[in-house]
Coordinates of all heavy atoms in Angstrom, one line a residue:
N2 N 4.0 14.7 -0.1 CA 4.6 15.8 -0.9 C 5.3 15.1 -2.1 O 5.1 15.7 -3.2 CB 5.3 16.6 -0.1 CG 4.5 17.5 0.8 OD1 3.3 17.6 0.6 ND2 5.2 18.0 1.9
E3 N 6.0 14.2 -1.9 CA 6.7 13.5 -3.2 C 5.9 13.0 -4.2 O 6.1 13.1 -5.4 CB 7.8 12.6 -2.6 CG 8.9 13.2 -1.8 CD 10.0 12.2 -1.5 OE1 10.4 11.5 -2.4 OE2 10.3 12.2 -0.2
V4 N 4.8 12.3 -3.8 CA 4.0 11.9 -4.7 C 3.2 13.0 -5.4 O 3.0 13.0 -6.7 CB 2.7 11.0 -4.0 CG1 1.6 10.7 -5.0 CG2 3.4 9.8 -3.4
T5 N 2.9 14.1 -4.8 CA 2.2 15.1 -5.4 C 3.2 15.9 -6.4 O 2.7 16.4 -7.4 CB 1.8 16.3 -4.3 OG1 0.9 15.6 -3.5 CG2 1.1 17.3 -4.9
D6 N 4.3 16.0 -6.0 CA 5.5 16.7 -6.9 C 6.0 16.0 -8.0 O 6.8 16.6 -8.7 CB 6.5 17.1 -5.9 CG 6.0 18.2 -4.9 OD1 4.9 18.9 -5.0 OD2 6.7 18.4 -3.9
T7 N 5.8 14.7 -8.2 CA 6.3 14.0 -9.2 C 5.5 14.1 -10.5 O 4.5 14.6 -10.4 CB 6.4 12.5 -8.9 OG1 5.0 12.0 -8.8 CG2 7.3 12.1 -7.6
G8 N 6.0 13.5 -11.5 CA 5.4 13.6 -12.9 C 4.5 12.4 -13.1 O 4.2 12.1 -14.2
L9 N 3.9 11.8 -11.9 CA 3.1 10.8 -12.0 C 1.7 11.1 -12.8 O 1.1 12.3 -12.7 CB 2.6 10.2 -10.6 CG 3.8 9.5 -9.8 CD1 3.3 9.3 -8.4 CD2 4.2 8.2 -10.5
D10 N 1.2 10.2 -13.5 CA -0.2 10.3 -14.1 C -1.2 10.8 -13.1 O -1.1 10.3 -11.9 CB -0.6 9.0 -14.7 CG -2.1 9.0 -15.0 OD1 -2.4 9.4 -16.2 OD2 -2.8 8.3 -14.3
A11 N -2.0 11.7 -13.4 CA -2.9 12.4 -12.3 C -3.8 11.2 -11.7 O -4.0 11.3 -10.5 CB -3.9 13.3 -13.2
G12 N -4.2 10.3 -12.4 CA -5.0 9.1 -11.8 C -4.3 8.3 -10.8 O -4.8 8.0 -9.7
L13 N -3.0 8.1 -11.2 CA -2.1 7.3 -10.3 C -1.9 8.1 -9.0 O -1.9 7.6 -7.9 CB -0.9 6.8 -10.9 CG 0.1 6.0 -10.1 CD1 -0.4 4.8 -9.6 CD2 1.3 5.6 -10.9
R14 N -1.6 9.4 -9.3 CA -1.1 10.3 -8.3 C -2.4 10.3 -7.2 O -2.2 10.3 -5.9 CB -0.8 11.6 -8.6 CG -0.2 12.5 -7.8 CD 0.3 13.7 -8.4 NE -0.6 14.6 -9.2 CZ -0.3 14.8 -10.5 NH1 0.8 14.6 -11.1 NH2 -1.2 15.4 -11.2
L15 N -3.5 10.5 -7.8 CA -4.7 10.6 -6.9 C -5.0 9.3 -6.0 O -5.4 9.3 -5.0 CB -6.0 11.0 -7.7 CG -6.0 12.4 -8.2 CD1 -7.2 12.7 -9.2 CD2 -6.1 13.5 -7.0
L16 N -4.8 8.1 -6.8 CA -4.9 6.9 -6.1 C -4.0 6.8 -5.0 O -4.4 6.3 -3.9 CB -4.8 5.8 -7.2 CG -5.0 4.3 -6.7 CD1 -6.5 4.2 -6.2 CD2 -4.7 3.4 -7.8
L17 N -2.7 7.0 -5.2 CA -1.7 6.9 -4.1 C -2.0 7.8 -2.9 O -1.9 7.3 -1.9 CB -0.3 7.0 -4.7 CG 0.2 6.0 -5.7 CD1 1.6 6.3 -6.3 CD2 0.3 4.6 -4.9
L18 N -2.4 9.1 -3.3 CA -2.7 10.0 -2.3 C -3.9 9.6 -1.5 O -3.9 9.8 -0.2 CB -2.9 11.4 -2.8 CG -1.6 12.2 -3.4 CD1 -1.9 13.4 -4.1 CD2 -0.6 12.3 -2.2
A19 N -4.9 9.1 -2.0 CA -6.0 8.6 -1.4 C -5.7 7.5 -0.4 O -6.1 7.3 0.7 CB -7.1 8.2 -2.4
H20 N -4.9 6.5 -0.8 CA -4.5 5.4 -0.1 C -3.5 5.9 1.2 O -3.8 5.4 2.2 CB -3.8 4.4 -0.9 CG -4.7 3.5 -1.7 ND1 -5.9 3.2 -1.4 CD2 -4.5 3.1 -3.0 CE1 -6.4 2.5 -2.3 NE2 -5.6 2.5 -3.4
L21 N -2.7 6.7 0.9 CA -1.9 7.4 1.9 C -2.8 8.1 3.0 O -2.4 8.1 4.2 CB -0.8 8.2 1.4 CG 0.3 7.5 0.6 CD1 1.2 8.6 -0.1 CD2 1.1 6.6 1.5
R22 N -3.7 8.8 2.6 CA -4.6 9.5 3.4 C -5.5 8.6 4.3 O -5.7 8.7 5.5 CB -5.5 10.4 2.7 CG -6.5 11.4 3.4 CD -7.3 12.4 2.7 NE -7.7 11.9 1.3 CZ -7.3 12.2 0.3 NH1 -6.4 13.1 0.2 NH2 -7.8 11.7 -0.9
K23 N -5.9 7.4 3.7 CA -6.5 6.3 4.5 C -5.6 5.8 5.5 O -6.0 5.4 6.5 CB -7.2 5.3 3.5 CG -8.4 5.9 2.8 CD -8.8 4.8 1.8 CE -10.0 5.3 1.0 NZ -10.6 4.3 0.1
M24 N -4.3 5.6 5.1 CA -3.3 5.0 6.0 C -3.1 6.0 7.2 O -3.2 5.7 8.3 CB -2.0 4.9 5.4 CG -0.9 4.5 6.4 SD -1.2 2.9 7.2 CE -0.7 1.8 5.8
L25 N -3.2 7.3 7.0 CA -3.1 8.3 8.1 C -4.3 8.2 9.1 O -4.3 8.2 10.3 CB -3.0 9.8 7.6 CG -1.6 10.1 7.1 CD1 -1.7 11.5 6.5 CD2 -0.6 10.2 8.3
E26 N -5.4 8.0 8.4 CA -6.7 7.8 9.3 C -6.6 6.5 10.1 O -7.0 6.5 11.3 CB -7.9 7.6 8.3 CG -8.3 9.0 7.7 CD -9.5 8.7 6.7 OE1 -10.2 7.7 6.7 OE2 -9.6 9.7 5.8
A27 N -6.1 5.4 9.5 CA -5.9 4.2 10.3 C -4.9 4.4 11.4 O -5.2 3.9 12.4 CB -5.4 3.1 9.3
V28 N -4.0 5.3 11.2 CA -3.0 5.4 12.3 C -3.6 6.3 13.4 O -3.4 5.9 14.6 CB -1.7 6.2 11.7 CG1 -0.9 6.8 12.9 CG2 -0.8 5.3 10.8
Q29 N -4.5 7.3 13.0 CA -5.1 8.1 14.0 C -6.3 7.3 14.8 O -6.6 7.5 15.9 CB -5.8 9.1 13.3 CG -4.8 10.2 12.8 CD -5.3 11.2 11.9 OE1 -6.5 11.2 11.4 NE2 -4.6 12.3 11.6
L30 N -6.6 6.2 14.1 CA -7.8 5.2 14.8 C -7.1 4.1 15.4 O -7.9 3.1 15.8 CB -8.7 4.9 13.8 CG -9.7 6.0 13.4 CD1 -10.6 5.6 12.1 CD2 -10.4 6.8 14.4
V31 N -5.7 4.0 15.5 CA -5.2 2.7 16.1 C -5.6 2.4 17.4 O -5.8 1.2 17.7 CB -3.6 2.9 16.0 CG1 -3.1 3.8 17.0 CG2 -2.9 1.5 16.0
R32 N -5.9 3.3 18.2 CA -6.3 3.0 19.6 C -7.8 2.3 19.5 O -8.2 1.5 20.5 CB -6.5 4.2 20.5 CG -5.1 4.7 20.8 CD -5.2 6.0 21.6 NE -3.9 6.4 21.8 CZ -3.3 7.0 23.0 NH1 -4.1 6.9 24.1 NH2 -2.2 7.4 23.1
V33 N -8.6 2.7 18.4 CA -9.9 2.1 18.4 C -9.8 0.8 17.5 O -10.4 -0.2 18.0 CB -10.9 3.1 17.5 CG1 -12.2 2.4 17.5 CG2 -11.0 4.4 18.4
G34 N -9.1 0.8 16.4 CA -9.3 -0.3 15.5 C -8.0 -1.3 15.6 O -8.0 -2.3 15.0
G35 N -7.0 -0.9 16.5 CA -5.9 -1.7 16.5 C -5.0 -1.6 15.3 O -5.3 -0.9 14.4
R36 N -4.1 -2.6 15.1 CA -3.3 -2.6 14.0 C -3.9 -3.1 12.8 O -3.3 -3.0 11.8 CB -2.0 -3.3 14.4 CG -2.2 -4.8 15.0 CD -1.0 -5.5 15.5 NE -0.4 -6.2 14.3 CZ 0.7 -6.8 14.6 NH1 1.4 -6.8 15.6 NH2 1.2 -7.5 13.5
A37 N -5.0 -3.8 12.9 CA -5.7 -4.4 11.8 C -6.1 -3.4 10.7 O -5.8 -3.6 9.5 CB -7.0 -5.1 12.3
L38 N -6.4 -2.1 11.1 CA -6.8 -1.1 10.1 C -5.5 -0.7 9.2 O -5.5 -0.4 8.1 CB -7.4 0.2 10.8 CG -8.7 -0.1 11.3 CD1 -9.1 1.3 12.1 CD2 -9.8 -0.3 10.2
I39 N -4.4 -0.6 10.0 CA -3.2 -0.3 9.5 C -2.7 -1.4 8.4 O -2.3 -1.1 7.4 CB -2.0 0.0 10.5 CG1 -2.5 1.3 11.4 CG2 -0.7 0.2 9.8 CD1 -1.6 1.6 12.5
E40 N -2.8 -2.6 8.9 CA -2.3 -3.7 8.2 C -3.1 -3.7 6.8 O -2.8 -3.9 5.6 CB -2.6 -4.9 8.9 CG -1.5 -5.3 10.0 CD -1.7 -6.4 10.8 OE1 -2.8 -6.9 11.0 OE2 -0.8 -6.8 11.5
E41 N -4.5 -3.5 7.0 CA -5.4 -3.4 5.9 C -4.9 -2.4 4.8 O -4.8 -2.8 3.6 CB -6.8 -3.2 6.3 CG -7.9 -3.3 5.1 CD -9.2 -3.1 5.7 OE1 -9.6 -3.5 6.8 OE2 -10.1 -2.3 5.1
Q42 N -4.7 -1.3 5.3 CA -4.3 -0.2 4.3 C -3.0 -0.4 3.7 O -2.8 -0.2 2.6 CB -4.3 1.2 5.1 CG -5.7 1.8 5.3 CD -6.7 1.7 4.1 OE1 -6.1 2.2 3.1 NE2 -7.8 1.2 4.2
L43 N -2.0 -1.0 4.4 CA -0.8 -1.4 3.9 C -0.9 -2.3 2.8 O -0.3 -2.2 1.7 CB 0.1 -1.9 5.0 CG 1.6 -2.2 4.7 CD1 2.2 -0.9 4.3 CD2 2.3 -2.8 5.8
D44 N -1.8 -3.3 3.0 CA -2.1 -4.4 1.9 C -2.7 -3.7 0.7 O -2.5 -4.1 -0.5 CB -2.9 -5.4 2.4 CG -2.3 -6.4 3.4 OD1 -0.9 -6.4 3.5 OD2 -3.1 -7.0 4.1
V45 N -3.5 -2.7 0.8 CA -4.2 -2.0 -0.2 C -3.1 -1.4 -1.1 O -3.1 -1.3 -2.3 CB -5.4 -1.1 0.3 CG1 -5.8 -0.2 -0.8 CG2 -6.4 -1.8 0.8
I46 N -2.2 -0.6 -0.4 CA -1.3 0.2 -1.2 C -0.4 -0.7 -1.9 O -0.1 -0.5 -3.1 CB -0.5 1.1 -0.1 CG1 -1.4 2.1 0.4 CG2 0.8 1.7 -0.8 CD1 -0.7 3.0 1.6
V47 N 0.1 -1.8 -1.3 CA 1.0 -2.8 -2.0 C 0.1 -3.5 -3.1 O 0.7 -3.5 -4.2 CB 1.4 -3.8 -1.0 CG1 2.3 -4.9 -1.6 CG2 2.4 -3.1 0.1
G48 N -1.0 -3.8 -2.9 CA -1.9 -4.4 -3.9 C -2.1 -3.5 -5.1 O -2.1 -4.0 -6.2
T49 N -2.2 -2.2 -5.0 CA -2.4 -1.3 -5.9 C -1.2 -1.3 -6.9 O -1.3 -1.3 -8.1 CB -2.8 0.2 -5.4 OG1 -3.9 0.0 -4.6 CG2 -2.9 1.1 -6.5
V50 N -0.1 -1.2 -6.2 CA 1.2 -1.1 -7.0 C 1.4 -2.4 -7.7 O 1.7 -2.5 -8.9 CB 2.5 -0.8 -6.2 CG1 3.7 -0.9 -7.0 CG2 2.3 0.6 -5.7
I51 N 1.1 -3.6 -7.1 CA 1.4 -4.8 -7.8 C 0.3 -5.1 -9.0 O 0.6 -5.6 -10.0 CB 1.2 -6.0 -6.7 CG1 2.4 -6.0 -5.9 CG2 1.1 -7.4 -7.4 CD1 2.3 -6.9 -4.7
R52 N -1.0 -4.8 -8.6 CA -2.0 -4.9 -9.6 C -1.8 -4.1 -10.9 O -2.2 -4.4 -12.0 CB -3.4 -4.6 -9.1 CG -4.5 -4.8 -9.9 CD -5.9 -4.5 -9.1 NE -6.0 -3.1 -8.6 CZ -6.2 -2.1 -9.4 NH1 -6.5 -2.2 -10.6 NH2 -6.4 -0.9 -8.8
R53 N -1.1 -3.0 -10.7 CA -0.9 -2.0 -11.9 C 0.5 -1.9 -12.3 O 1.2 -1.0 -11.7 CB -1.5 -0.6 -11.5 CG -3.1 -0.7 -11.3 CD -3.5 0.6 -11.0 NE -3.3 1.6 -12.0 CZ -3.8 2.9 -12.0 NH1 -4.5 3.2 -11.0 NH2 -3.6 3.6 -13.1
P54 N 1.0 -2.6 -13.1 CA 2.4 -2.7 -13.5 C 2.8 -1.4 -14.0 O 4.0 -1.0 -13.7 CB 2.4 -3.8 -14.8 CG 1.2 -4.6 -14.5 CD 0.2 -3.6 -14.0
E55 N 1.9 -0.6 -14.7 CA 2.4 0.8 -15.1 C 2.7 1.6 -13.9 O 3.5 2.5 -13.9 CB 1.4 1.4 -16.0 CG 0.1 1.9 -15.3 CD -1.0 0.9 -15.0 OE1 -0.7 -0.4 -15.2 OE2 -2.1 1.2 -14.6
A56 N 2.0 1.4 -12.8 CA 2.3 2.2 -11.5 C 3.7 1.8 -11.0 O 4.4 2.8 -10.7 CB 1.2 1.8 -10.4
A57 N 4.1 0.6 -11.0 CA 5.3 0.1 -10.5 C 6.4 0.9 -11.4 O 7.5 1.3 -10.9 CB 5.5 -1.3 -10.5
E58 N 6.1 0.7 -12.7 CA 7.1 1.2 -13.7 C 7.3 2.8 -13.5 O 8.5 3.3 -13.3 CB 6.7 1.0 -15.1 CG 6.8 -0.5 -15.5 CD 6.1 -0.7 -16.7 OE1 5.8 0.3 -17.6 OE2 5.9 -2.0 -17.1
T59 N 6.1 3.5 -13.3 CA 6.3 4.9 -13.1 C 6.9 5.3 -11.9 O 7.8 6.3 -11.7 CB 4.8 5.6 -13.1 OG1 4.2 5.2 -14.4 CG2 4.9 7.0 -13.1
L60 N 6.7 4.4 -10.7 CA 7.2 4.8 -9.4 C 8.8 4.5 -9.5 O 9.6 5.2 -8.9 CB 6.6 3.9 -8.3 CG 5.2 4.3 -8.0 CD1 4.6 3.3 -7.1 CD2 5.2 5.7 -7.4
Q61 N 9.1 3.4 -10.3 CA 10.6 3.2 -10.4 C 11.3 4.3 -11.1 O 12.3 4.8 -10.8 CB 10.7 1.9 -11.1 CG 12.1 1.3 -11.3 CD 12.6 0.9 -10.0 OE1 11.9 0.3 -9.2 NE2 13.8 1.0 -9.8
R62 N 10.6 4.7 -12.2 CA 11.3 5.8 -13.0 C 11.5 7.2 -12.2 O 12.3 7.9 -12.4 CB 10.4 6.1 -14.4 CG 10.8 7.0 -15.2 CD 10.1 7.2 -16.6 NE 8.7 6.9 -16.6 CZ 7.8 7.8 -16.1 NH1 8.1 9.0 -15.6 NH2 6.5 7.4 -16.1

Side-chain angles (χ1 to χ4, degrees):
N2 289 336
E3 290 187 49
V4 172
T5 302
D6 295 340
T7 63
L9 293 173
D10 166 83
L13 178 58
R14 190 171 51 232
L15 288 172
L16 183 63
L17 288 173
L18 288 172
H20 289 318
L21 289 172
R22 189 174 32 251
K23 288 179 183 177
M24 176 61 78
L25 280 173
E26 289 174 18
V28 168
Q29 292 168 347
L30 295 173
V31 73
R32 290 179 188 221
V33 176
R36 55 189 267 172
L38 293 173
I39 294 172
E40 289 172 339
E41 180 181 323
Q42 287 308 314
L43 189 59
D44 289 344
V45 169
I46 291 171
V47 171
T49 297
V50 174
I51 291 172
R52 184 179 58 81
R53 297 182 60 177
E55 73 279 7
E58 291 171 8
T59 303
L60 290 171
Q61 187 71 37
R62 184 173 32 79

